Amino acid sequence: MLKATISQKVILAYSFFIVVVSIFLLGGMFRSPSEPQSSIIFGLSLLRLLIAFGFLIAGIFFAALGFKAFQDQKWAETFLEWWFGEGPFSKAFFWLAGVSLGLGWVGCFIPSYRVGLLRAYWDRIQPMMVFILAVSIATVLVFIARRTSFSKQKPKTADVFRLGFILFLISLPVLAWSTFNNYDAYRLEDFWYGAAVPILASQLMVAISAGILFLSSTKNLDTRSFDVIIFLLLFIGTAILWAREPLHGSFLFTGPTAPNKVFYPFADAATFDIASQFGLIGQGIYIFNTPFFERTLYISFLIYLHSLFGQDYQTLMTVQAVIFAIFPALVYSIGRSLNMRAVGLAAAIIAAIRGANAIAASNMIDLANPKMIMTDFPTAIGLALLILLLCEWLKEPEKKWSYALWCGGVVGFTMMIRTNALIFLPLIPLYVLLRYLPRWKHWLLASTLTVLAVIAITLPWELRNVSRGALPYSPILTKIQQVLQMRYSSPSGSVLPQENFFAAATLQATTVLSSSLFDGQVQACQTVACFAPKHFVHNVITSILLFPTSPVFDDLRHTVKGSNPYWRQDWDGRFNPSALLFFSLNIFFITLGISAAWKREHLAGIAPLAIFVFYDLSDALARTSGGRYIVPMDWILSLYYVIGILFLFTEIAVATNMRFAPLFDPGSSNSSTPSRRSGWATTITILLVLFVVGSLVPLSEKLHPPRYANFNVSEALQRSEQQVASAGLAMGKIDSFLKNPGAQILVGRTLYPRSYKLGQGEFYFSPYTVMDFPRTAFVLIGPNGADGVVVPGGFPKYFPHAADALVIGCKEATYTDALAVILLDGTGTVYLRSPMSELTCPLRQPVCTNNAACR
């Protein structure tokens, strides 16, 4: 009898809710009549009249349903069992409710600008979508209540929920403190940027749905070949997705500009590319006018890329994106290593989609992506590989001791991409110590192997440096010293070499911006205890903001430009109430995921979180946060977010007797056959492999012979005498000009030609800064290093990139003011400045009127 009474109550509540929704929607339609010319009756058009009639019928039907249940207890029990029980009909009805829930959600929250031809009718259709969503939610809740038999028993995993809720409560005051009390830091900090690359609400639904579908279709599947297939499909699918996304103009890839109408790297991207271009002319890796630099792995990668695929940056970045597409596949492997394949798949899809979003949004927000010449995204790949190896090591540290070597190798390789990875060298052994206790001797041996592996993979480059007169690992120490001097002292302090035009421009921009920020402001805190926590928490907040803070299915542009301010550098940390609700919900899912991973896999389960914290700490100590600085680590939170979502889903599935595979796969069955090779043999073999792999970095400098060795400038000039004379400049005048103080003739390779009109130019970076006359500017690299060159005059029809040239001109403070540029590519092309100046240094600058007439 009690069960029938509960059945009646459930049906009555269910019916009453739907009747109230119907009445509410009907009232809303009558309060908002159609246009007079469309009105048929009661102020409604034909379409709205049909929808209103449908609400009326639904209200009457469910009112009658409730009345019948109230009168007949036995009928109510039979009805509840038939429609919401576990029979074939109820299963079909459940899936119908689930699909309707998804469609209703999309219909309610998709903006009208995304519905195409239905845009004009969308406001009229939306009440029907609200009804579908409300009824679907109510139906799913009744299913859950019925299939749990209205039980109030605690789930077996209550401790997971308890720990997740505790972590959630702990995180809230910390984030609130940072958001409401210290978010004025953007006014005082130079390297303080906006949120992470977002994943849209619709895209997140796709990724989570893929994880759920995986759980429903792989209940009895546990094969290594299946993992290989998924790995390859993710890699190939991501490669196609990223390759198809076109290269967009951005701060780091300006263009397409005259004269060649193509994209060229700019600012930091140009600095890395120029370093690789020196390798292509046989002068080795040469950056900031020094052959010693700590981020050599990515530069050597660019040398190989240029050597194989040439100088077209559309092609180069497409190839790079295809190679970097290994990243989502590695994310899946991390999920597999943690025995959560469904999590790995959903997180990998999120990583693939966010990569495409990052490429598409490169002209809207300040972030790194797979099609940028920056070290941030390859660092993310390094961290993914490190997490994968660390998880495997922590699961069986005694049997898988060789993973200590592989982890050290990845740390060393990642250090050669970004120096931040140096922080892993002391902190990973300390973290692993928790797994080895009390076997401290075994831990000491494993830590020693990790350090030896770091040395093995970085040694070839350090031997190269020593052979050129540097001390071992001095570039890394120099980098740390530069950060300390630049970020821990007054804004005017810097140790950037002044000879390099990009370095000088960076210093100038930093100094100007710092001065403008500090004038009239409270002095920024200069102690680590003051600024490091602000940057640390800001990195956490901006990483969490990769998840939606609204259910609305905005497109990418509306998300980052219209809906929310999180991607602006000056965002003050404020949320509107609904965004704060979703932001808090995202934090809960993350903390629930951390709890579930810890309860299941212990130290291995929170190894990704440890890497996130360690890298965040390195950013905070370097006084950097947000933007591209969190690209290497922000994706880690998506693992725990997905764990939290899927854990909640599987708990509901268990409670309602739904047949899904468990979230946690059975432990790996291939737990290791002991190797026949001795420990020493394995160690030496791995160290040799790491040394050989590390040797690929200095080897990249040997791929091309010195292009300008023993180059005779006078002979080259004589060979071009006829072309120079045809252009209107006699050879005798050139000889006289070169005798002037400050006059010079340079040989080298032309890079990144850009033509500008009067008053046009780029931000601070010479030779592309704004000038009061039309000109063509480019970079020349050669035996004298890198020089910016400016050729006053109109736009040439074409100016070659990566061509040999002679430049005759006067040395100015930050660039060479060209008198003539002579190409050595066999075409005999000569570019002269216009209007011509007296042949004495400094050359007379053109004076132009508003209509660009120059004399």
Side-chain angles (χ1 to χ4, degrees):
M1 182 65 69
L2 179 62
K3 188 174 183 181
T5 302
I6 293 176
S7 299
Q8 283 181 296
K9 290 179 180 180
V10 169
I11 296 175
L12 281 171
Y14 178 63
S15 302
F16 178 75
F17 173 77
I18 296 176
V19 169
V20 169
V21 169
S22 301
I23 294 172
F24 177 79
L25 292 174
L26 270 173
M29 292 182 70
F30 285 119
R31 285 195 302 269
S32 177
S34 304
E35 294 80 5
Q37 62 272 21
S38 303
S39 176
I40 295 178
I41 188 173
F42 303 127
L44 300 179
S45 64
L46 177 61
L47 174 61
R48 301 189 71 208
L49 195 62
L50 291 173
I51 296 174
F53 184 72
F55 290 155
L56 180 62
I57 295 299
I60 294 172
F61 173 79
F62 282 98
L65 181 69
F67 183 74
K68 177 68 175 175
F70 178 75
Q71 283 189 321
D72 190 338
Q73 294 182 13
K74 187 171 181 60
W75 180 89
E77 182 179 349
T78 304
F79 175 86
L80 198 66
E81 177 63 29
W82 176 258
W83 286 84
F84 297 97
E86 298 185 20
F89 179 81
S90 61
K91 289 180 181 179
F93 185 52
F94 174 78
W95 282 108
L96 177 62
V99 172
S100 298
L101 176 60
L103 292 176
W105 188 280
V106 172
C108 286
F109 295 111
I110 189 168
S112 59
Y113 66 82
R114 302 195 70 181
V115 296
L117 297 176
L118 294 176
R119 182 171 185 174
Y121 307 97
W122 198 244
D123 289 340
R124 306 305 187 189
I125 297 175
Q126 285 233 289
M128 184 171 60
M129 298 298 178
V130 174
F131 180 79
I132 293 173
L133 177 62
V135 172
S136 301
I137 292 175
T139 303
V140 170
L141 290 176
V142 173
F143 263 108
I144 294 174
R146 172 64 186 81
R147 291 199 173 190
T148 55
S149 300
F150 312 107
S151 172
K152 296 182 181 179
Q153 294 181 356
K154 292 183 180 180
K156 296 180 181 179
T157 53
D159 54 340
V160 175
F161 287 100
R162 187 182 306 111
L163 177 59
F165 191 68
I166 291 172
L167 293 174
F168 173 69
L169 292 179
I170 292 173
S171 66
L172 287 183
V174 175
L175 296 175
W177 167 80
S178 173
T179 301
F180 296 111
N181 293 326
N182 292 282
Y183 238 76
D184 61 343
Y186 74 89
R187 302 175 184 273
L188 309 172
E189 297 289 335
D190 287 340
F191 300 92
W192 181 281
Y193 295 96
V197 175
I199 182 166
L200 307 180
S202 55
Q203 296 169 340
L204 184 61
M205 283 184 64
V206 170
I208 298 298
S209 299
I212 293 174
L213 183 62
F214 189 93
L215 289 173
S216 68
S217 58
T218 58
K219 292 187 283 292
N220 300 314
L221 194 58
D222 183 24
T223 63
R224 177 174 293 185
S225 60
F226 177 76
D227 289 328
V228 172
I229 292 171
I230 295 294
F231 185 96
L232 291 176
L233 287 176
L234 283 168
F235 176 47
I236 295 170
T238 304
I240 294 172
L241 178 66
W242 291 356
R244 287 171 58 88
E245 188 65 40
L247 185 65
H248 297 279
S250 64
F251 179 71
L252 296 172
F253 252 119
T254 59
T257 56
N260 300 336
K261 300 294 183 182
V262 295
F263 289 107
Y264 290 125
F266 185 66
D268 291 353
T271 299
F272 288 119
D273 192 61
I274 288 171
S276 72
Q277 297 281 355
F278 273 110
L280 297 177
I281 61 174
Q283 293 182 210
I285 295 175
Y286 198 72
I287 190 168
F288 288 150
N289 282 347
T290 174
F292 310 117
F293 193 65
E294 86 286 353
R295 300 187 195 178
T296 50
L297 174 58
Y298 183 63
I299 297 172
S300 65
F301 169 78
L302 289 176
I303 294 175
Y304 288 111
L305 208 61
H306 277 294
S307 300
L308 293 172
F309 299 99
Q311 293 284 351
D312 180 78
Y313 288 95
Q314 291 272 11
T315 301
L316 287 170
M317 292 300 98
T318 298
V319 174
Q320 174 178 283
V322 168
I323 296 171
F324 288 174
I326 195 70
F327 174 60
L330 290 174
V331 173
Y332 170 77
S333 297
I334 293 171
R336 181 210 56 80
S337 178
L338 295 175
N339 298 314
M340 291 180 276
R341 286 177 171 88
V343 168
L345 179 64
I349 293 173
I350 290 174
I353 293 174
R354 289 187 67 227
N357 288 350
I359 299 171
S362 58
N363 59 349
M364 294 184 276
I365 51 180
D366 177 33
L367 291 163
N369 66 57
K371 285 191 171 182
M372 277 186 179
I373 302 179
M374 297 294 287
T375 58
D376 307 275
F377 199 88
T379 303
I381 298 175
L383 263 60
L385 188 55
L386 176 61
I387 290 170
L388 174 61
L389 296 170
L390 183 59
C391 289
E392 288 294 317
W393 181 15
L394 287 170
K395 287 194 297 185
E396 296 180 291
E398 299 295 340
K399 290 183 178 180
K400 298 185 176 182
W401 59 268
S402 60
Y403 279 84
L405 288 163
W406 294 119
C407 282
V410 173
V411 169
F413 232 35
T414 310
M415 281 169 51
M416 298 173 75
I417 302 175
R418 282 193 74 85
T419 317
N420 301 55
L422 181 64
I423 200 169
F424 297 134
L425 192 55
L427 292 184
I428 284 182
L430 288 176
Y431 182 74
V432 173
L433 175 61
L434 301 173
R435 184 71 173 86
Y436 272 93
L437 287 175
R439 303 181 305 279
W440 66 270
K441 291 183 179 179
H442 292 218
W443 167 80
L444 187 61
L445 176 60
S447 301
T448 302
L449 292 177
T450 302
V451 175
L452 287 176
V454 172
I455 295 173
I457 204 163
T458 57
L459 186 59
W461 180 253
E462 296 307 320
L463 292 175
R464 174 264 194 196
N465 290 339
V466 170
S467 69
R468 298 193 179 193
L471 295 174
Y473 297 98
S474 60
I476 294 177
L477 297 176
T478 300
K479 177 65 176 180
I480 295 173
Q481 181 187 14
Q482 289 178 353
V483 170
L484 291 175
Q485 292 183 11
M486 186 175 182
R487 312 277 172 90
Y488 281 62
S489 60
S490 64
S492 58
S494 177
V495 293
L496 283 174
Q498 296 296 299
E499 293 81 4
N500 181 276
F501 60 93
F502 275 124
T506 303
L507 174 62
Q508 181 186 10
T510 302
T511 303
V512 171
L513 290 175
S514 299
S515 300
S516 65
L517 288 171
F518 281 83
D519 287 346
Q521 297 281 353
V522 178
Q523 288 293 315
C525 50
Q526 296 298 319
T527 63
V528 176
C530 180
F531 64 74
K534 294 182 180 182
H535 282 282
F536 186 92
V537 179
H538 180 59
N539 280 330
V540 175
I541 291 173
T542 50
S543 296
I544 295 172
L545 285 171
L546 73 89
F547 304 108
T549 56
S550 168
V552 178
F553 294 141
D554 275 319
D555 61 17
L556 188 59
R557 176 167 291 279
H558 283 81
T559 298
V560 303
K561 285 297 185 182
S563 301
N564 301 295
Y566 317 135
W567 292 273
R568 295 206 308 261
Q569 187 175 0
D570 62 348
W571 174 52
D572 61 4
R574 297 180 184 178
F575 293 94
N576 62 50
S578 63
L580 184 60
L581 173 64
F582 279 92
F583 182 72
S584 301
L585 189 61
N586 292 337
I587 295 174
F588 174 73
F589 287 140
I590 292 170
T591 56
L592 182 62
I594 293 171
S595 174
W598 164 254
K599 291 293 185 180
R600 168 69 186 204
E601 298 292 337
H602 305 296
L603 283 176
I606 61 170
L609 179 65
I611 296 300
F612 178 91
V613 172
F614 297 161
Y615 195 87
D616 190 358
L617 182 61
S618 73
D619 271 348
L621 293 175
R623 212 163 182 170
T624 55
S625 58
R628 65 182 179 86
Y629 295 109
I630 60 174
V631 167
M633 66 177 187
D634 61 8
W635 60 273
I636 296 173
L637 294 186
S638 65
L639 283 168
Y640 293 104
Y641 184 90
V642 172
I643 293 173
I645 292 278
L646 294 186
F647 175 80
L648 195 60
F649 175 83
T650 53
E651 287 301 298
I652 293 173
V654 170
T656 56
N657 296 318
M658 294 166 60
R659 295 182 180 178
F660 283 93
L663 176 61
F664 301 103
D665 305 320
S668 191
S669 59
N670 55 340
S671 71
S672 21
T673 309
S675 173
R676 295 180 181 178
R677 184 181 294 165
S678 71
W680 284 109
T682 301
T683 300
I684 292 172
T685 301
I686 294 175
L687 291 176
L688 284 175
V689 169
L690 294 175
F691 183 85
V692 171
V693 173
S695 298
L696 294 174
V697 177
L699 179 64
S700 66
E701 297 185 304
K702 306 298 182 182
L703 296 179
H704 302 273
R707 193 171 186 85
Y708 305 111
N710 303 317
F711 186 88
N712 192 310
V713 174
S714 299
E715 289 183 3
L717 190 59
Q718 290 295 329
R719 287 195 296 269
S720 304
E721 180 177 3
Q722 183 177 351
Q723 289 83 3
V724 174
S726 300
L729 191 61
M731 191 62 66
K733 292 183 177 180
I734 293 178
D735 292 336
S736 300
F737 171 76
L738 291 174
K739 294 176 182 178
N740 281 285
Q744 59 182 357
I745 182 168
L746 304 172
V747 63
R749 169 170 284 185
T750 62
L751 299 176
Y752 325 134
R754 297 178 173 95
S755 295
Y756 299 102
K757 296 179 181 179
L758 165 69
Q760 292 183 345
E762 308 293 345
F763 175 77
Y764 277 116
F765 291 92
S766 180
Y768 304 110
T769 50
V770 175
M771 294 184 179
D772 295 329
F773 52 87
R775 73 264 176 221
T776 296
F778 62 94
V779 177
L780 187 80
I781 62 168
N784 294 326
D787 290 275
V789 179
V790 173
V791 187
F795 293 7
K797 292 182 179 180
Y798 176 73
F799 196 106
H801 167 72
D804 296 328
L806 292 175
V807 174
I808 303 168
C810 298
K811 180 64 178 176
E812 298 291 338
T814 58
Y815 66 92
T816 295
D817 191 8
L819 174 68
V821 177
I822 306 167
L823 297 185
L824 304 177
D825 58 357
T827 63
T829 306
V830 178
Y831 302 95
L832 297 181
R833 70 186 288 118
S834 176
M836 183 55 72
S837 166
E838 296 84 3
L839 300 185
T840 182
C841 288
L843 296 168
R844 179 172 55 84
Q845 298 297 303
V847 178
C848 304
T849 62
N850 291 334
N851 60 0
C854 302
R855 55 181 178 81

